Amino acid sequence: MDVDAAVFDVFGTMTDWRSSVTDALAESGGRAGLQADWPAVTDAWRRRYRPVLHRFLNGELPWRPLDELHRLMLDEVVAEHGLTALGDAERHRLVRAWHRLSPWPDAAPGLELLHETPVLTATLSNGGVGLLARLTKRAGLRFDCILSAELATSYKPDPRVYLMAAELLQVEPGRLLMVACHPDDLEAAAEAGLRTAYIPRPLEWGPDAEPTDPPAGVDLVADDVIDLARTLAGTGTVTTPVS
């Protein structure tokens, strides 16, 4: 595939949010003397993500930074699971846990391979610029640029977010590759005119999660970021799905 730049989803595609946030919840819960099914609490928190974003996209909520939305969702989950002993300081610490997600093992080496190619790389996440800067620095993810939906005062899957990335990187939408493990993200990017690459993350929601198929019409399917990098460099084995 001949592209000038690749932008990456971060939560799930490049990082293991579930294990990272579960560990943070368990630590905070332990300090508060609480016991819970922490993976289930993590899942409940994350499952509020898309409905809240759609409320914004539907005009029901004003735009707010993702940290504020994470806090709003956390407060609901805490009340629902009887974890109100988690005080304000612990809740603030938990929101910041999304700034400290651990990367998947292939993410950093794959980006390093891409760094040796002419392809520009950037994040394109609903996380804020500050969140992404801290997360990528801590996780050792070397991107050429940090881009966030925050720069468009919106959230994916708003087409303005994808087109903003193309504009800021000074590339045509058709020469910008959106990389994600989430079919809806890739479908929205394709509708905005971007090329798309799917990377499966079967453990994103834990070992018992149902497998997710690539979206129809995706341009490429790669095993991981290393495989993607090798393909963009002309040495890999990424497959082009049959329509």
Side-chain angles (χ1 to χ4, degrees), residues 2-68:
D2 187 16
V3 295
D4 297 320
V7 291
F8 290 77
D9 170 68
V10 175
F11 300 147
T13 303
M14 303 299 280
T15 60
D16 178 8
W17 58 263
R18 189 174 190 264
S19 296
S20 303
V21 174
T22 296
D23 289 346
L25 278 163
E27 290 173 9
S28 288
R31 283 190 290 268
L34 296 169
Q35 294 184 347
D37 182 346
W38 299 116
V41 176
T42 299
D43 291 347
W45 191 0
R46 182 63 173 174
R47 286 197 176 97
R48 282 169 164 74
Y49 179 74
R50 294 186 189 279
V52 167
L53 294 188
H54 282 297
R55 288 178 63 193
F56 159 74
L57 294 170
N58 292 335
E60 298 175 36
L61 289 176
W63 185 86
R64 300 165 71 175
L66 187 61
D67 279 356
E68 292 186 19

Side-chain angles (χ1 to χ4, degrees), residues 11-191:
F11 300 147
T13 303
M14 303 299 280
T15 60
D16 178 8
W17 58 263
R18 189 174 190 264
S19 296
S20 303
V21 174
T22 296
D23 289 346
L25 278 163
E27 290 173 9
S28 288
R31 283 190 290 268
L34 296 169
Q35 294 184 347
D37 182 346
W38 299 116
V41 176
T42 299
D43 291 347
W45 191 0
R46 182 63 173 174
R47 286 197 176 97
R48 282 169 164 74
Y49 179 74
R50 294 186 189 279
V52 167
L53 294 188
H54 282 297
R55 288 178 63 193
F56 159 74
L57 294 170
N58 292 335
E60 298 175 36
L61 289 176
W63 185 86
R64 300 165 71 175
L66 187 61
D67 279 356
E68 292 186 19
L69 294 182
H70 271 153
R71 176 58 188 265
L72 175 69
M73 293 181 273
L74 177 62
D75 288 344
E76 293 175 354
V77 170
V78 161
E80 179 182 276
H81 287 261
L83 302 172
T84 53
L86 288 172
D88 186 71
E90 288 295 345
R91 297 186 198 196
H92 175 75
R93 189 176 288 112
L94 285 167
V95 168
R96 297 285 288 195
W98 293 90
H99 298 224
R100 303 187 300 272
L101 304 180
S102 298
W104 295 113
D106 60 277
L111 286 175
E112 291 300 322
L113 287 174
L114 277 170
H115 194 71
E116 301 302 319
T117 75
V119 177
L120 294 174
T121 60
T123 61
L124 190 60
S125 168
N126 286 331
V129 172
L131 180 159
L132 293 170
R134 293 182 184 90
L135 186 159
T136 56
K137 183 177 181 67
R138 182 180 184 276
L141 300 177
R142 181 160 65 154
F143 288 96
D144 298 318
C145 182
I146 298 294
L147 296 180
S148 162
E150 179 178 61
L151 298 172
T153 321
S154 190
Y155 289 109
K156 295 185 296 180
D158 184 341
R160 292 181 299 161
V161 174
Y162 306 101
L163 295 176
M164 172 271 298
E167 180 180 0
L168 292 179
L169 292 173
Q170 298 181 341
V171 300
E172 293 297 323
R175 295 187 63 81
L176 178 60
L177 182 68
M178 179 73 217
V179 184
C181 67
H182 306 127
D184 58 346
D185 196 357
L186 295 176
E187 289 166 353
E191 289 177 7

Side-chain angles (χ1 to χ4, degrees), residues 18 37 39 43 47 201-212:
R18 189 174 190 264
D37 182 346
D43 291 347
R47 286 197 176 97
R201 293 300 188 192
L203 296 178
E204 180 185 7
W205 286 87
D208 300 323
E210 292 293 325
T212 302

